[in-house]
Amino acid sequence: MTGPETVPDAGSDADPGATQTSEHRNADPARIHTAPRLDDALAYRLPRAHRLLLTHLGRVLSDHHDALTPELWFVLARIDDDGPLRPVDLTEPALVDAPNVSRLVERLVRTRLVERSPDPIDRRSHLLNTTSDGAHLAAEIRTRVVRERRRVFDGFTAADLDVLGTALTRLDDTLRPLLTGERTDSATR
């Protein structure tokens, strides 16, 4: 009798020797939550993959602008995509808190990638928009980031990416109520 099929683990870029068995891929979901080994727990593997993605993105960004971090890129891209925006509009989409948004926006303003203008509706606030340099840099970086995403997800089928996207959406939808103290259907059972 042969053992389970072995396939490269999704985190194999960081650990070339890491493998995932077909037994693990088809495991009972409840077992994944109670995995005794940290490396097998999804709650560990997701942040590890996130760190790998951010590290890779940081290297890509440093080729274009030595002071542009992934965090700054997310804010610049959001302003470029949806601006003009109020700073408060960036807190949730960029997944950063208000004090951090202020710090990031200030850095983008200092580097002349973003500019502030008075908010005609709310005199206490201001609007953020990319400068021409900021818009140009965002377009350049966006092209490179899309190319790098293709490299990162090379070898994934469209079905793999659909499953991953659906799973991440479900995880997001489950976590948000937990973080805000709302009860979910599973919490009332």
Side-chain angles (χ1 to χ4, degrees), residues 57-134:
L57 178 59
R59 290 177 182 169
V60 169
L61 294 174
S62 69
D63 289 345
H64 287 279
H65 194 283
D66 58 346
L68 195 61
T69 65
E71 214 174 23
L72 283 167
W73 164 243
F74 297 146
V75 173
L76 177 63
R78 181 65 63 190
I79 293 169
D80 189 57
D81 288 345
D82 301 330
L85 294 172
R86 291 180 188 90
V88 70
D89 297 330
L90 292 167
T91 55
E92 175 56 22
L95 294 176
V96 290
D97 55 19
N100 203 19
V101 165
S102 296
R103 180 182 59 80
L104 294 168
V105 165
E106 186 57 38
R107 284 180 62 190
L108 291 169
V109 168
R110 270 196 325 265
T111 56
R112 295 186 175 105
L113 298 175
V114 167
E115 60 191 0
R116 291 185 185 105
S117 61
D119 184 341
I121 297 172
D122 183 355
R123 292 183 189 184
R124 298 168 296 166
S125 187
H126 55 272
L127 298 175
L128 304 169
N129 216 343
T130 52
T131 62
S132 59
D133 286 348

Side-chain angles (χ1 to χ4, degrees), residues 37-41 44-45 48:
R37 286 183 31 86
L38 183 63
D39 289 342
D40 294 334
Y44 171 76
R45 293 177 68 200
R48 182 182 66 190

